[in-house]
Amino acid sequence: MPAAERAEVMHRVGAEMESRRAELLEVAASETGKTLDQGDPEISEAIDFAHYYAFQSQELEKVDGARFVPSKLTVVAPPWNFPLAIPAGGVLAALASGSPVILKPATPARRCGAILAQIMWDAGVPRDVLQLVNTADRAAGRRLISHPAVERVILTGSYETAKLFRSWRPELPLLAETSGKNAIIVTPSSDPDLAVKD
């Protein structure tokens, strides 16, 4: 699909997510415990991803001297604790680059992943371009990640999961955002209650 058509579909994904905000809030709350003050900004971020990657997909064709070669298949493996924005961002980034995608949501966020996939299908992403895989079976997950047809994996999760994926297939391009701990400096002039909350 040419970049202009991909962009048009992704803009429709953003509009569809906006029109189904209440449904997304419900599923994030009921399945993963997201409160409204956490879920609403996450949905806004997912919508922003749709429009951002729509614009970026068109920029790919404007790079001087570059030859556009999308990955043949990308697997997106997001975490359970950001069940909407992170999977949407990974899927939309891969679609923007012209790659078909398999979305494998975390087991505790399977309904969130299913609704995101349905929204994308409803907005015009072809079902043969976006597939949804729901499995808690580790052996099936390993077969998916290590399958030779997969050319790229987008993972958000633990460092240990990234190492595990790498051990299954060392040469596989793995784009991994791994979790860690950030330091917070609390000064005497800070609000202690707010600092504890953060």
Side-chain angles (χ1 to χ4, degrees):
M1 185 180 286
E5 289 179 36
R6 291 195 312 273
E8 187 178 311
V9 170
M10 283 185 281
H11 281 306
R12 287 198 309 263
V13 169
E16 187 73 15
M17 283 192 281
E18 180 62 52
S19 73
R20 293 170 69 173
R21 184 180 289 267
E23 180 182 0
L24 290 167
L25 283 168
E26 182 282 322
V27 71
S30 66
E31 186 174 44
T32 65
K34 283 277 182 179
T35 58
L36 294 179
D37 66 321
Q38 294 172 341
D40 194 53
E42 187 173 342
I43 294 164
S44 293
E45 184 178 359
I47 293 165
D48 288 347
F49 277 139
H51 297 299
Y52 173 78
Y53 286 120
F55 289 117
Q56 293 297 62
S57 68
Q58 295 179 73
E59 294 301 311
L60 288 172
E61 292 187 348
K62 297 177 185 175
V63 178
D64 281 339
R67 196 184 82 197
F68 181 62
V69 181
S71 295
K72 291 180 185 162
L73 181 60
T74 300
V75 171
V76 175
W80 70 270
N81 58 333
F82 288 93
L84 301 171
I86 290 177
V91 168
L92 292 162
L95 293 174
S97 70
S99 177
V101 179
I102 295 175
L103 170 59
K104 193 249 172 254
T107 301
R110 288 192 279 196
R111 269 188 63 226
C112 289
I115 289 175
L116 276 176
Q118 188 62 57
I119 285 171
M120 292 184 192
W121 293 326
D122 291 347
V125 175
R127 285 181 180 262
D128 62 341
V129 171
L130 172 60
Q131 295 286 311
L132 176 68
V133 172
N134 276 322
T135 181
D137 179 22
R138 186 179 177 122
R142 180 177 183 161
R143 284 192 300 276
L144 175 64
I145 298 301
S146 60
H147 195 282
V150 174
E151 285 195 349
R152 184 171 314 277
V153 172
I154 299 173
L155 165 71
T156 302
S158 71
Y159 179 72
E160 290 74 23
T161 302
K163 281 178 48 177
L164 181 65
F165 285 9
R166 176 69 67 214
S167 75
W168 292 342
R169 193 167 154 210
E171 78 287 358
L172 178 67
L174 175 64
L175 305 174
E177 176 188 355
T178 56
S179 55
K181 301 295 180 198
N182 295 321
I184 296 176
I185 298 171
V186 180
T187 64
S189 63
S190 68
D191 178 344
D193 293 331
L194 184 59
V196 169
K197 182 180 176 187
D198 284 345

